[in-house]
Amino acid sequence: MITNRKGNTMKILIKGGRVIDPANNIDKVTDIFIDKGVISEVGEDIDLEGIDMEVIEAGGKIVTPGLVDMHCHLRDPGQEYKEDIETGTKSAAMGGITSVACMPNTKPVIDCEPIVSYIKNKAKEVGYVNVYPIGSISKGLLGKELSEIGELKFAGAVAISDDGRPVVESGLMRRAMEYADMFDMTVISHCEDLGLADGGCMNEGFMSTYLGLKGITRASEEVMVSRDILIAEATGTAIHIAHVSTRGSVELVRQAKKRGVRVTCETCPHYFTLTEKACDGFNTNAKMNPPLRTDDDVEAIKEGLKDGTIDCIVTDHAPHHIDEKNCEFALAYNGIVGFETSLGLGLKYLVEPGVLTINELIEKMSVNPARILGLNKGNLSVNNAADVIIFDPSKDWTVDISKFESKSKNSPYDGYVLCGKPEYVIVNGDIVVNQGVLL
Amino acid sequence: MRKDLLGLKDLSAEEITNILETAKTMKLILKQPSKKTPHLQGKTVVNLFYENSTRTRLSFELAAKYMSANAANITASGSSVQKGETLIDTAETINAMGTDILVMRHNMSGAPHLIAPLVSASVINAGDGMDEHPTQALLDMLTIIEKKGGIKGLKIAIIGDIYHSRVVRSNIYGLTKLGAEVSVGGPSTLIPPGMEQLGVKVFKSIHEAIVDADVVMGLRIQLERQKKGLFPSIREYYRFFGVDDKRLKFAKPDALVMHPGPVNRGVEFSSSVIDGEQSVINEQVTSGVAVRMAVMYMLSRGGFDN
């Protein structure tokens, strides 16, 4: 049995699976041959007589490009007690995610070339999946001066974002968008008006009143979505809106797209599976930013996914130590781990009820994020690096957070029955997950 | 069986009634020349207060001492929690010293809910953030029952900072469970969303809120709220929401005037209303000791079922 990072010499034949490769308009039962780390051939009559290789029988299963998660937190460097590049990428691999883009709110912040290099080198050394750093918009995430965006780009950063906090100063945001556009760098906006958020810790509505917790109005998100759309429109630049959570934000993006504004956006599984009700009992694993909203918002997110307003599903994988969640609700950190549940949640909550087809789900979890980041990922094109996953959506599995590969276990989905756990995960032609087991 | 009292949200009408019945008996003890009973002999009560409090803490302490318990007080500032020991570690330490009843006040909603499952001691919520203050609502209800003979069918108007008030939430849960009709009023910036879903009526004018009320309850207006821009000035608050003799006439002639204290004279109520004949503010304080005696005694016996 081969292991990861050992030279990509293994030949692999994936036989008889339903190959879904939306980027190449393929959806049929066929075979895939992987050699020297790349997709060598796709088709039924691959002549492989006498070749020594690994054969994966994929009959009845789905074979797709590996997932691309364009929004996660690997916590490395600086907060390795929560997660590091090794454990984070192991966790991603278990979730069928073969490429991740990690946010810059590390310590130190990813705002210059050495930090980008550190992450890329460490990922090469210990990583289980492809890692693409995202640089910060502002130096130190302070919202004052632009980071050296060109240098970040040439060091290997794939986008810029101050995720975790908004770029408060509208003029700086405008300059960032104009400057980044010159380098074809995607700008990802964390949309939050801090004055409106006003230190709240959950969605503002009946539940915040019921629990006596300070609420965050939906306007906090929507005001900033509007601002960034209007800047993009006025300057002809592009903007990618992170973690959309409200009906209003979906509608703002929908209208902007109709007007031809260069806007794309993402949501997370928790925004189409959970509502503010999950906070009941002061459940800190339901505390996120933006906060979980209402049934109506969940409905709107699904509509936005269905009609194409929402381009991507990302995890916003946000590992936190148990002590940072096992505390007073107002003190608890925002966010949940998401790598190992995102595909299952997408299949169970979007594909099973018919909101999306599997093909559309793969577009949103692989094809579109790759396109938005400008990565040659999310496809099974011949001669491209072989990032492939195999799963069976008809097979249920139960989430057990104690089994997560992530260092952190802060998930609200413990005990949930999902489906389609990745059985095989291949990264650059290496089998990383074999029959559901991490190698 | 019930180990803790975290809020009135989770209590049944029957449990609330049982507490109030026991509290009536406790009040008789408070009227004796020698106020000492053996109800909690050998038990230890610790008051863990992360917020300033005079009356609630003293009320719990005296209630424990009148029933012969050992009582100790700990005060800690909210900020030291973040700097040093976690709330869980502090509570577990106190529990390990043989504490039977842990009375907790904390500036964050849900703090006692976090601790209750982790300790063997009974946890009594003495106010958590903007969530609940169950013994305050129980003492309010006891006072109302003593003056009005019951709660069912009464119209209770609660005026002031509804948004930040744990007193109002506990009162809403308790009073509506016992059949009262509750209306709330205050500046719209101090009314949280979804109040109607809690079964109360929301009014934007003081007149509408208190007309024909059997009880007019004021809530403390904290000066910091004005500084944060939630209303323009104390002067303007009093002009539109303060209760003076003239406004009190909108309520029923025998309406009770209540306030959880401490009162800002000339803000929530005029001094004449506070000191007037309809005011039962001092009776509320006495009821507070009785209710806390009842709650601690009943929890030491396994809960609020008869």
Side-chain angles (χ1 to χ4, degrees):
Chain A
M1 198 57 59
I2 67 154
T3 55
N4 190 29
R5 311 180 300 278
K6 285 284 162 72
N8 304 335
T9 51
M10 192 73 193
K11 297 180 194 333
I12 305 163
L13 179 66
I14 303 169
K15 264 183 81 89
R18 177 181 160 196
V19 175
I20 299 178
D21 179 13
N24 289 310
N25 230 345
I26 290 172
D27 178 0
K28 62 178 177 187
V29 174
T30 188
D31 303 339
I32 294 179
F33 183 58
I34 296 168
D35 189 14
K36 297 190 177 69
V38 301
I39 306 280
S40 171
E41 216 178 325
V42 179
E44 281 100 292
D45 312 310
I46 303 174
D47 180 18
L48 296 165
E49 219 160 295
I51 295 176
D52 180 28
M53 62 185 176
E54 180 92 353
V55 177
I56 298 172
E57 295 293 346
K61 302 182 202 299
I62 306 285
V63 181
T64 75
L67 306 181
V68 177
D69 183 4
M70 67 177 288
H71 188 146
C72 71
H73 302 269
L74 294 181
R75 308 295 188 209
D76 186 353
Q79 293 178 313
E80 294 86 352
Y81 69 96
K82 300 181 195 232
E83 192 83 285
D84 59 36
I85 289 171
E86 181 176 350
T87 58
T89 54
K90 279 181 176 176
S91 178
M94 286 301 283
I97 297 160
T98 55
S99 297
V100 298
C102 53
M103 284 296 174
N105 59 341
T106 46
K107 292 180 180 173
V109 169
I110 312 176
D111 62 359
C112 57
E113 189 274 338
I115 313 297
V116 175
S117 301
Y118 162 82
I119 290 169
K120 289 189 73 81
N121 289 335
K122 188 163 178 194
K124 212 171 281 173
E125 215 177 293
V126 302
Y128 281 69
V129 305
N130 305 299
V131 177
Y132 300 97
I134 295 171
S136 65
I137 292 173
S138 66
K139 290 193 183 98
L141 297 175
L142 297 174
K144 301 284 182 207
E145 300 167 26
L146 290 183
S147 303
E148 291 169 325
I149 296 167
E151 176 173 289
L152 287 167
K153 164 94 177 182
F154 285 94
V158 294
I160 52 169
S161 180
D162 274 4
D163 183 60
R165 60 182 80 178
V167 176
V168 173
E169 173 43 56
S170 305
L172 186 75
M173 190 61 173
R174 175 213 169 144
R175 300 301 176 207
M177 288 161 67
E178 288 178 329
Y179 192 82
D181 217 37
M182 167 173 70
F183 289 106
D184 284 326
M185 278 284 257
T186 306
V187 182
I188 303 170
S189 178
H190 168 110
C191 290
E192 180 181 11
D193 181 308
L194 296 177
L196 285 169
D198 198 20
C201 59
M202 68 173 292
N203 183 52
E204 182 177 280
F206 170 70
M207 280 308 289
S208 62
T209 297
Y210 180 72
L211 292 171
L213 292 169
K214 200 158 193 302
I216 302 172
T217 167
R218 58 190 58 246
S220 166
E221 175 176 325
E222 293 159 4
V223 160
M224 280 303 224
V225 172
S226 310
R227 182 196 75 172
D228 291 345
I229 285 172
L230 293 174
I231 295 174
E233 191 165 19
T235 58
T237 55
I239 190 71
H240 178 80
I241 308 290
H243 40 53
V244 164
S245 75
T246 72
R247 175 176 286 280
S249 297
V250 174
E251 186 55 27
L252 285 163
V253 173
R254 182 179 288 129
Q255 294 307 324
K257 282 188 168 184
K258 276 187 194 155
R259 298 197 303 275
V261 181
R262 294 168 62 200
V263 57
T264 51
C265 73
E266 63 187 37
T267 192
C268 310
H270 33 281
Y271 301 121
F272 60 76
T273 56
L274 295 173
T275 68
E276 57 178 7
K277 291 194 197 91
C279 298
D280 199 9
F282 303 98
N283 175 15
T284 56
N285 278 331
K287 186 179 173 186
M288 352 252 176
N289 188 17
L292 297 174
R293 307 286 185 180
T294 64
D295 287 324
D296 181 58
D297 296 293
V298 166
E299 208 42 54
I301 295 291
K302 288 181 182 171
E303 288 162 16
L305 284 164
K306 199 178 173 67
D307 72 9
T309 301
I310 301 176
D311 303 270
C312 312
I313 297 167
V314 302
T315 64
D316 199 359
H317 180 78
H320 289 299
H321 191 270
I322 173 103
D323 292 341
E324 295 166 338
K325 283 290 193 182
N326 192 20
C327 62
E328 298 89 318
F329 194 93
L331 290 182
Y333 285 45
N334 285 310
I336 59 170
V337 292
F339 285 151
E340 295 173 62
T341 48
S342 64
L343 177 62
L345 289 164
L347 289 167
K348 201 75 181 176
Y349 286 82
L350 297 176
V351 176
E352 225 175 76
V355 178
L356 297 180
T357 62
I358 293 189
N359 310 49
E360 289 166 333
L361 184 72
I362 297 306
E363 285 177 26
K364 295 191 193 288
M365 297 188 78
S366 180
V367 182
N368 295 347
R371 173 176 50 80
I372 290 165
L373 294 178
L375 299 173
N376 184 16
K377 294 286 176 190
N379 62 64
L380 298 174
S381 304
V382 170
N383 289 329
N384 266 1
D387 295 346
V388 186
I389 61 172
I390 303 172
F391 56 92
D392 182 352
S394 70
K395 270 193 198 151
D396 282 349
W397 62 283
T398 304
V399 179
D400 178 354
I401 56 169
S402 70
K403 301 253 162 66
F404 280 175
E405 290 292 337
S406 173
K407 264 185 205 173
S408 296
K409 317 293 173 195
N410 50 313
S411 167
Y413 297 113
D414 197 27
Y416 270 54
V417 176
L418 305 179
C419 59
K421 195 177 173 66
E423 295 173 24
Y424 292 89
V425 177
I426 299 166
V427 181
N428 296 316
D430 280 346
I431 300 176
V432 181
V433 173
N434 189 341
Q435 293 173 359
V437 178
L438 190 77
L439 296 180
Chain B
M1 286 294 286
R2 199 177 272 280
K3 178 171 88 70
D4 313 295
L5 174 62
L6 302 179
L8 299 192
K9 195 187 278 176
D10 332 300
L11 255 52
S12 66
E14 196 192 346
E15 286 175 291
I16 293 171
T17 308
N18 291 341
I19 296 170
L20 296 174
E21 285 303 316
T22 308
K24 281 182 193 165
T25 315
M26 294 299 181
K27 214 162 189 181
L28 297 176
I29 294 168
L30 289 177
K31 287 179 180 151
Q32 302 303 311
S34 170
K35 296 181 273 291
K36 200 78 169 174
T37 76
H39 285 97
L40 290 182
Q41 190 131 39
K43 302 282 183 192
T44 298
V45 177
V46 174
N47 289 318
L48 174 59
F49 275 58
Y50 284 86
E51 265 187 349
N52 292 334
S53 162
T54 311
R55 71 190 64 211
T56 304
R57 208 199 65 200
L58 185 60
S59 180
F60 270 107
E61 186 178 349
L62 291 177
K65 285 179 171 166
Y66 291 154
M67 293 190 292
S68 308
N70 305 306
N73 296 315
I74 301 169
T75 49
S77 74
S79 61
S80 72
V81 186
Q82 279 154 290
K83 285 180 197 160
E85 197 176 42
T86 65
L87 175 62
I88 290 176
D89 288 345
T90 305
E92 286 183 338
T93 303
I94 295 168
N95 189 56
M97 290 183 188
T99 302
D100 300 291
I101 296 174
L102 179 60
V103 179
M104 262 187 74
R105 163 160 301 183
H106 200 282
N107 57 329
M108 289 174 198
S109 304
H113 305 71
L114 177 69
I115 297 308
L118 304 176
V119 296
S120 56
S122 287
V123 174
I124 298 175
N125 183 0
D128 65 320
M130 311 188 298
D131 177 39
E132 283 222 46
H133 192 353
T135 57
Q136 176 68 45
L138 288 165
L139 75 86
D140 292 337
M141 287 190 279
L142 178 61
T143 309
I144 295 169
I145 288 171
E146 284 179 343
K147 297 288 171 186
K148 295 284 175 191
I151 292 208
K152 199 173 165 58
L154 292 185
K155 191 182 165 196
I156 319 267
I158 308 178
I159 311 296
D161 181 354
I162 308 296
Y163 188 100
H164 297 94
S165 178
R166 51 197 174 212
V167 174
V168 81
R169 285 176 176 79
S170 286
N171 262 306
I172 288 169
Y173 300 131
L175 289 167
T176 55
K177 276 174 187 172
L178 297 197
E181 186 190 311
V182 180
S183 55
V184 299
S188 49
T189 45
L190 294 176
I191 306 270
M195 285 305 283
E196 293 84 356
Q197 281 172 266
L198 294 178
V200 305
K201 287 183 185 150
V202 180
F203 294 102
K204 284 179 184 166
S205 87
I206 179 95
H207 171 253
E208 287 175 306
I210 68 176
V211 72
D212 289 333
D214 297 287
V215 174
V216 178
M217 193 184 290
L219 297 173
R220 185 176 165 77
I221 294 291
Q222 295 196 349
L223 277 173
E224 308 93 86
R225 311 297 181 209
Q226 185 268 329
K227 297 259 188 291
K228 283 192 128 186
L230 286 161
F231 58 95
S233 67
I234 291 291
R235 182 171 167 270
E236 177 150 315
Y237 177 84
Y238 185 67
R239 176 171 170 185
F240 290 97
F241 292 98
V243 180
D244 56 12
D245 294 310
K246 205 173 134 199
R247 286 207 171 121
L248 188 57
K249 291 204 167 66
F250 294 132
K252 288 197 181 137
D254 59 347
L256 303 178
V257 169
M258 301 178 74
H259 194 292
V263 188
N264 293 305
R265 285 177 177 263
V267 182
E268 296 99 60
F269 292 139
S270 68
S271 285
S272 57
V273 167
I274 294 166
D275 300 328
E277 289 201 340
Q278 288 167 257
S279 168
V280 293
I281 294 173
N282 289 331
E283 278 95 326
Q284 285 176 268
V285 177
T286 312
S287 297
V289 181
V291 154
R292 285 160 186 141
M293 288 171 77
V295 166
M296 286 194 277
Y297 171 63
M298 292 172 91
L299 284 179
S300 76
R301 303 279 298 253
F304 307 125
D305 301 316
N306 256 347

